[in-house]
């Protein structure tokens, strides 16, 4: 039994994560839902980049991207990813490691439709992670897809979501004299119950 209380209290790590994100939305200046997403390539070399977390579900974390991007290729190859959310204003962070599956059904359609028109057209125009000859070439591609798809573009077949179902979640909060509070929720498989441990700072 761990001595969890205050911001660490609760028996559902996803509920705690939603609570922390809600607090960050009131204090972070920009993108409180930004995550540093990490994957590995075929040679085992790590990659990291910032993406926006769009939903904390009952048992998973969801973000969206181009399925032809480098991150997508690495996710599809390994089926695994990790991320960290860090909030300077709250002096807190959440680390997540887990298994990844595509979300390319009605939920992805609904999210794509909710985006601004320019963002939807941009998704069609960008060959994400591929070499680009110039900014002008990208602008020309946007004009081209605008003419093709009009004011209500549907979700591209190469664009959609990923759902990370974690086997490890760590909640971290800044402590005086660098004596930080850390609690790790872990399980061997996504079907197992959680084990919670307090970690040294």
């Amino acid at each position: 039994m761990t001595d969890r209380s205050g911001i660490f209290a609760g028996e559902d790590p996803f509920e705690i994560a939603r609570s922390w994100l809600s607090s960050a939305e009131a204090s972070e200046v920009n993108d409180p839902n930004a995550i540093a997403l990490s994957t590995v390539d075929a040679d085992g070399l790590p990659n990291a980049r910032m993406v926006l977390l769009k939903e904390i579900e009952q048992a998973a974390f969801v973000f969206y991207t181009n399925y032809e991007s480098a991150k997508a290729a690495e996710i599809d190859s390994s089926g695994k990813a990790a991320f960290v959310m860090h909030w300077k204003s709250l002096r807190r962070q959440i680390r997540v490691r887990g298994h990844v599956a595509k979300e390319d059904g009605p939920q992805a359609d609904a999210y794509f439709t909710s985006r601004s028109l320019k963002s939807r057209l941009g998704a069609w125009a960008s060959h994400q992670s591929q070499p680009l000859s110039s900014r002008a070439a990208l602008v020309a591609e946007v004009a081209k897809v605008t003419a093709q798809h009009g004011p209500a573009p549907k979700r591209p077949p190469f664009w959609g979501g990923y759902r990370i179902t974690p086997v490890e979640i760590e909640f971290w909060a800044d402590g005086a004299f660098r004596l930080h509070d850390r609690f790790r929720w872990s399980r061997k498989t996504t079907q197992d119950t959680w084990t919670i441990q307090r970690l040294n700072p």
Side-chain angles (χ1 to χ4, degrees):
M1 193 72 179
T2 57
D3 55 334
R4 292 181 299 114
S5 60
I7 62 172
F8 294 99
E11 302 306 316
D12 180 350
F14 301 97
E15 186 175 317
I16 297 171
R18 283 190 290 270
S19 174
W20 283 28
L21 177 56
S22 179
S23 295
E25 288 170 347
S27 61
E28 286 291 296
V29 175
N30 292 308
D31 299 327
N33 60 328
I35 62 175
L37 177 73
S38 297
T39 55
V40 294
D41 67 15
D43 297 320
L45 190 63
N47 247 330
R49 77 290 285 165
M50 302 305 294
V51 301
L52 297 180
L53 183 69
K54 287 302 177 180
E55 189 171 358
I56 302 177
E57 298 180 329
Q58 183 176 356
F61 300 86
V62 180
F63 70 94
Y64 293 86
T65 192
N66 187 311
Y67 287 148
E68 296 175 353
S69 64
K71 75 175 82 64
E74 291 168 2
I75 288 171
D76 292 343
S77 176
S78 71
K80 301 170 186 173
F83 72 79
V84 60
M85 302 182 81
H86 176 251
W87 300 293
K88 288 178 71 70
S89 62
L90 297 179
R91 299 179 182 270
R92 299 181 204 170
Q93 70 178 23
I94 300 175
R95 296 174 61 222
V96 172
R97 303 168 72 204
H99 302 281
V100 190
K102 280 184 176 178
E103 170 47 69
D104 57 358
Q107 185 173 329
D109 292 335
Y111 171 66
F112 186 78
T113 301
S114 76
R115 303 177 88 211
S116 71
L117 175 59
K118 288 184 178 180
S119 292
R120 284 177 280 159
L121 292 170
W124 274 102
S126 175
H127 302 280
Q128 197 171 100
S129 301
Q130 300 304 310
L132 178 64
S133 61
S134 67
R135 178 85 183 175
L138 179 60
V139 172
E141 187 65 21
V142 171
K144 177 182 173 183
V145 299
T146 299
Q148 290 175 335
H149 297 285
K154 293 184 178 179
R155 179 173 62 88
F158 54 81
W159 192 98
Y162 281 106
R163 177 176 286 107
I164 302 176
T165 303
V167 292
E168 187 173 302
I169 305 174
E170 181 189 314
F171 296 93
W172 177 101
D174 181 64
F177 309 108
R178 296 192 179 276
L179 300 180
H180 313 306
D181 288 307
R182 297 174 63 188
F183 290 94
R184 181 177 62 201
W185 299 60
S186 59
R187 55 188 179 179
K188 287 189 176 180
T189 76
T190 58
Q191 305 304 312
D192 292 334
T193 56
W194 293 104
T195 296
I196 309 169
Q197 290 181 306
R198 176 185 275 274
L199 303 179
N200 272 279

